[in-house]
């Protein structure tokens, strides 16, 4: 928020702050108290991000984001009782929510979309377990500590960074080759070990180490993070393989027209370029209107984690196969790709079956989506070529 921030953004931000203060934070504190009173009690959280169609919401106007309490009306099936007030989209989401909560009531556990099935390979299963243990032992306690620091003094600023560099083969201390990025590995790069132990680290680690040292030094001097340096420079270096032009063109075509200025997507999230969402990625250093070259670079940055996902899960693909899988992962999510028949067939070296498997992922909430049919067909064609 600056003096130049528009009224719509200001109102959204105030709305989020009020919602967190009045609803989200008290709910989480209550959940923590319930669990603390009885450690055998399991408490779950879900994330609701459906913005109602214009005029359907009870409390939130069109310019505001997703409204607190709106999930309640969908969970209790109001869209099926008040057809003139709700649209088809709300009825679809309502049906999904009723199904999820009913399943939870019967089974006592949430229907988690982890991408893990009975057919998931041992390597993906172990990776998922590793991430869960890392979250439980390291990530979550660190975030709780950060919240406590900020709560003790609201003028204290607490920042977070995302590190996704996988060391070259044999360089990691704790994590073997099949595992994802290892907790603590960022410490060695931040303290410059790749420059002290040349035989153990490669050029890639030294490049990332230099970027991290630069970023942390700047932070120490200026008291604020160099967000674009950490996010764009490091992610750009960690991806061992870039998508080819055929894959990039396919993604651009499927994502639709790019936007040079900020806009709000169908669920009220601030977005720019080819669907670059400012809720999940920083937009602080962007200065619209953007050029086509800048938008393309932003898309490449967004693709980085999915390129890394595909490369880790399926090394050895040719350029078009890699590009098709990256497009799929970018659209459907890395978790879906890791649990997909596309990947399982790739691992079985059955590439014809892998190409056909793209066409299995064309529906949302049980409904076939024409755009997904078109995209999966194009990805399968690219994979075969």
């Amino acid at each position: 928020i600056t003096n130049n921030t528009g009224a719509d953004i200001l109102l959204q931000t105030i709305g989020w702050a009020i919602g967190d203060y009045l609803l989200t934070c008290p709910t989480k504190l209550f959940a923590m108290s319930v669990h603390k009173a009885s450690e055998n009690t399991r408490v779950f959280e879900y994330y609701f991000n459906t913005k109602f169609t214009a005029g359907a919401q009870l409390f939130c106007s069109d310019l505001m984001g997703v409204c607190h309490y709106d999930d309640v009306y969908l969970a209790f099936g109001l869209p099926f009782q008040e057809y003139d007030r709700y649209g088809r989209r709300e009825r679809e989401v309502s049906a999904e929510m009723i199904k999820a909560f009913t399943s939870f009531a019967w089974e006592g556990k949430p229907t988690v979309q982890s991408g893990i099935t009975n057919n998931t390979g041992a390597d993906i299963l172990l990776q998922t377990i590793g991430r869960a243990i890392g979250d439980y032992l390291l990530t979550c306690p660190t975030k709780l500590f950060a919240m406590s620091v900020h709560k003790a003094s609201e003028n204290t600023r607490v920042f977070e960074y995302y590190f996704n560099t996988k060391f070259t083969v044999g360089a990691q201390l704790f994590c073997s080759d099949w595992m994802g990025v290892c907790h603590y590995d960022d410490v060695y790069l931040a303290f410059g070990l790749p420059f002290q132990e040349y035989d153990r680290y490669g050029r890639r680690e030294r490049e990332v180490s230099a970027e991290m040292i630069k970023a942390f030094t700047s932070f120490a001097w200026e008291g604020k993070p160099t967000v674009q340096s950490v996010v764009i420079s490091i992610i750009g270096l960690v991806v061992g393989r870039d998508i080819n032009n055929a894959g990039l063109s396919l993604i651009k075509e499927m994502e639709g027209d790019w936007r040079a200025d900020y806009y709000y997507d169908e669920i009220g999230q601030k977005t720019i370029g080819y669907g670059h969402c400012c809720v999940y990625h920083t937009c602080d250093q962007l200065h619209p209107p953007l050029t086509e070259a800048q938008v393309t670079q932003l898309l490449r940055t967004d693709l980085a984690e999915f390129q890394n996902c595909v490369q880790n899960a399926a090394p050895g693909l040719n350029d078009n196969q890699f590009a098709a899988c990256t497009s799929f992962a970018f659209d459907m999510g890395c978790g879906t790709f890791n649990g997909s028949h596309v990947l399982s067939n790739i691992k079985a070296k059955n590439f014809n079956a892998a190409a056909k498997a793209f066409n299995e992922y064309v529906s949302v909430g049980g409904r076939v989506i024409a755009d997904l049919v078109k995209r999966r067909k194009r990805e399968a064609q690219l994979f075969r070529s």
Side-chain angles (χ1 to χ4, degrees), residues 75-102:
F76 281 90
L78 262 70
F80 295 98
Q81 303 172 40
E82 303 179 7
Y83 258 67
D84 57 335
R85 191 161 187 228
Y86 296 89
R88 183 180 65 179
R89 183 160 151 266
E90 282 78 36
R91 284 188 281 277
E92 291 173 345
V93 176
S94 179
E96 285 294 316
M97 291 188 71
I98 293 170
K99 179 181 177 182
F101 282 111
T102 303

Side-chain angles (χ1 to χ4, degrees), residues 25 46 74 145 248 256 305:
C25 293
Y46 70 93
L74 270 67
F145 172 72
L248 187 64
E305 65 175 287

Side-chain angles (χ1 to χ4, degrees), residues 9-279:
I9 304 297
L10 183 62
L11 287 172
Q12 278 193 15
T13 305
I14 293 171
W16 288 327
I18 293 173
D20 286 346
Y21 181 76
L22 294 178
L23 298 164
T24 305
C25 293
T27 301
K28 290 189 177 183
L29 289 172
F30 172 72
M32 292 168 64
S33 299
V34 169
H35 180 67
K36 187 176 181 180
S38 174
E39 292 189 358
N40 291 326
T41 301
R42 294 178 300 167
V43 182
F44 299 96
E45 177 185 8
Y46 70 93
Y47 177 67
F48 176 80
N49 68 346
T50 296
K51 178 67 177 176
F52 285 2
T53 50
Q57 55 275 5
L58 293 188
F59 303 112
C60 299
S61 61
D62 294 343
L63 62 86
M64 297 178 71
V66 177
C67 194
H68 287 278
Y69 290 132
D70 277 353
D71 53 329
V72 176
Y73 310 118
L74 270 67
F76 281 90
L78 262 70
F80 295 98
Q81 303 172 40
E82 303 179 7
Y83 258 67
D84 57 335
R85 191 161 187 228
Y86 296 89
R88 183 180 65 179
R89 183 160 151 266
E90 282 78 36
R91 284 188 281 277
E92 291 173 345
V93 176
S94 179
E96 285 294 316
M97 291 188 71
I98 293 170
K99 179 181 177 182
F101 282 111
T102 303
S103 174
F104 178 72
W106 277 99
E107 300 179 16
K109 58 183 180 181
T111 52
V112 180
Q113 300 299 318
S114 65
I116 300 298
T117 69
N118 291 333
N119 298 320
T120 299
D123 54 346
I124 301 300
L125 181 61
L126 287 171
Q127 279 189 23
T128 305
I129 293 172
R131 284 195 292 268
I133 293 173
D135 286 346
Y136 181 76
L137 294 178
L138 298 164
T139 306
C140 293
T142 301
K143 290 191 176 185
L144 288 173
F145 172 72
M147 291 167 64
S148 299
V149 169
H150 180 66
K151 187 176 180 181
S153 175
E154 292 189 358
N155 291 324
T156 301
R157 294 177 298 167
V158 183
F159 298 96
E160 176 185 10
Y161 69 93
Y162 177 63
F163 176 79
N164 72 343
T165 296
K166 179 66 177 175
F167 285 2
T168 51
V169 177
Q172 56 275 3
L173 293 187
F174 303 111
C175 298
S176 58
D177 295 341
W178 59 263
M179 297 177 71
V181 177
C182 194
H183 286 279
Y184 292 132
D185 275 354
D186 53 329
V187 176
Y188 311 118
L189 271 66
F191 282 91
L193 262 70
F195 294 99
Q196 302 171 40
E197 303 179 5
Y198 259 66
D199 59 333
R200 190 159 188 229
Y201 297 89
R203 184 180 66 180
R204 182 162 148 264
E205 282 79 36
R206 283 187 281 277
E207 290 173 341
V208 178
S209 179
E211 283 292 321
M212 291 189 72
I213 292 170
K214 179 181 177 182
F216 281 113
T217 302
S218 175
F219 177 71
W221 277 99
E222 300 179 14
K224 58 183 179 180
T226 53
V227 178
Q228 291 299 326
S229 174
V230 175
V231 174
I232 292 181
S233 296
I234 290 184
I235 288 180
L237 288 169
V238 302
V239 179
R241 190 174 184 182
D242 286 328
I243 193 171
N244 62 12
N245 289 333
L248 187 64
S249 297
L250 186 154
I251 291 172
K252 284 182 174 182
E253 180 185 344
M254 294 296 102
E255 292 296 319
D257 294 336
W258 59 276
R259 304 280 192 93
D261 289 294
Y262 293 121
Y263 66 97
Y264 292 90
D265 64 13
E266 63 273 11
I267 59 173
Q269 294 176 328
K270 185 180 178 181
T271 310
I272 195 170
Y274 287 104
H276 178 88
C277 181
C278 298
V279 175

Side-chain angles (χ1 to χ4, degrees), residues 299-341:
L299 175 60
R300 284 191 177 277
T301 300
D302 291 344
L303 286 171
E305 65 175 287
F306 302 99
Q307 293 172 159
N308 206 27
C309 164
V310 173
Q311 181 66 6
N312 284 338
L317 296 175
N318 67 39
D319 288 346
N320 284 346
Q321 290 170 338
F322 177 77
C325 289
T326 299
S327 173
F328 178 89
F330 181 66
D331 185 46
M332 301 298 292
C334 186
T336 299
F337 175 73
N338 282 336
S340 70
H341 290 142

